[in-house]
Amino acid sequence: MLPDTLRWNDKTKQLEILDQRRLPREVSYLRCSTVEDVARAIETMAVRGAPAIGIAAAYGVVLTNPMTHDALKESLSRLARTRPTAVNLFWALNRMEKVAEGTKEALLGERLLTEARQIHFEDIEINRRIGINGAKLLPDTSIVITHCNAGALATGGYGTALGIIRAAKEQGKNIKVYVDETRPVLQGARLTAWELFQDGVDVTLICDSMAPFVMKKEKIHGVIVGADRVARNGDVANKIGTYGLAVAAKYHGVPFIVAAPVSTIDPACLEGDKIPIEIRKAEEIRKLPGGMEVPEEIPVWNPAFDVTPKELVTAIVTERGVLYPPFEEAIARLFA
Ligand code: MRU
């Protein structure tokens, strides 16, 4: 049984966040009592993954104190400044803002908590549907590659990309998964490998640079990844390294499958170049395994995400069905 990624404690009125920085060594929770606690947990990646960030932020809004319309504005703006790329954050904050509009101050706390819970539990249901829709794309015996963590840990539960793997396994399919370790924060090695192993999935960890060679050596039935934001034309922002994986998949004729809830599609964003890419601290790259460090004088560039052009994407699996190229038209129909 996997620990919950996020849980609201009704007694203490705290948001309990599974501290993913400590996984897999330790399962422990951060107890957040203020908006600032939640904002810092998102910034430092104690909670991460596009849907989970959105859900955490929604609960974060509930911690506004005093619960007034003015204070709420501050909370929304603080939480919106945490991480720029995953659109689910802004989508969830918009939902919270809409609920607050026109609600009397005395009722704000209760209404906002109900909405945060709704966003949380809807997400699990959405992931199950993504799983069922995506599992159809996998043959009964499949070998797949995944990158980063788009699992239960990155969502309200079940996962998007890993939801497809879970659903396929639940249907009795025989699935083997190669997991990229995902430098520099190692979400693949620390989170995905652990998450899938706990669920009894046949999992093998590889370094990011090994994925193309795996595609050359073995019949791979799909690369399955999550997304932080999908532009209106179908370009996909996801964890750094996804683009290279998509290029290798194209070369080897491997289907490149993106799993994402509709809330990850940003119809206001015309193309991938317009997606804001978070640049994170150099120390994430400087700190090497075994306690070694790259000297401070050496410049480092640490973009947390890249953009995979739509031409490299075979399918986008959502809770409302599977989108195929031309994505611009498929996405327009979805939002029509
Ligand atoms: O920096 P992270 O760990 O928040 O990045 C996470 C990813 O890139 C995931 O693939 C994406 O958010 C989808 S999670 C369902």
Side-chain angles (χ1 to χ4, degrees), residues 294-308:
V294 173
E296 288 233 348
E297 310 80 83
I298 298 178
V300 164
W301 184 49
N302 185 14
F305 301 96
D306 58 26
V307 177
T308 299

Side-chain angles (χ1 to χ4, degrees), residues 45 47-53 83 86 88 127 147-151 154-155 159-161 185 187 191 225-228 237-240 242 259 261 264 278 280 304-305:
M45 293 171 71
V47 58
R48 32 68 47 203
I53 292 171
R83 295 191 75 190
N88 308 60
N127 292 337
H147 188 71
C148 192
N149 175 270
T155 60
T160 56
V185 181
Q187 292 93 330
L191 307 176
V225 295
D228 286 84
N238 191 49
K239 179 53 53 194
I240 192 75
T242 303
T264 300
E278 177 184 8
R280 291 188 62 87
F305 301 96

Side-chain angles (χ1 to χ4, degrees), residues 111-128:
R111 296 254 167 99
L112 290 172
L113 178 57
T114 304
E115 186 67 4
R117 282 202 162 114
Q118 179 72 16
I119 292 173
H120 189 175
F121 295 115
E122 261 176 26
D123 186 60
I124 303 171
E125 189 44 42
I126 285 169
N127 292 337
R128 288 197 178 272

Side-chain angles (χ1 to χ4, degrees), residues 89-105:
L89 170 70
F90 308 99
W91 171 87
L93 291 175
N94 277 341
R95 263 181 76 162
M96 297 302 279
E97 193 175 12
K98 287 235 165 69
V99 167
E101 276 165 19
T103 299
K104 285 190 192 134
E105 285 188 346

Side-chain angles (χ1 to χ4, degrees), residues 49-70:
I53 292 171
I55 299 162
Y59 282 119
V61 172
V62 179
L63 295 170
T64 302
N65 189 14
M67 186 54 94
T68 62
H69 283 287
D70 283 348

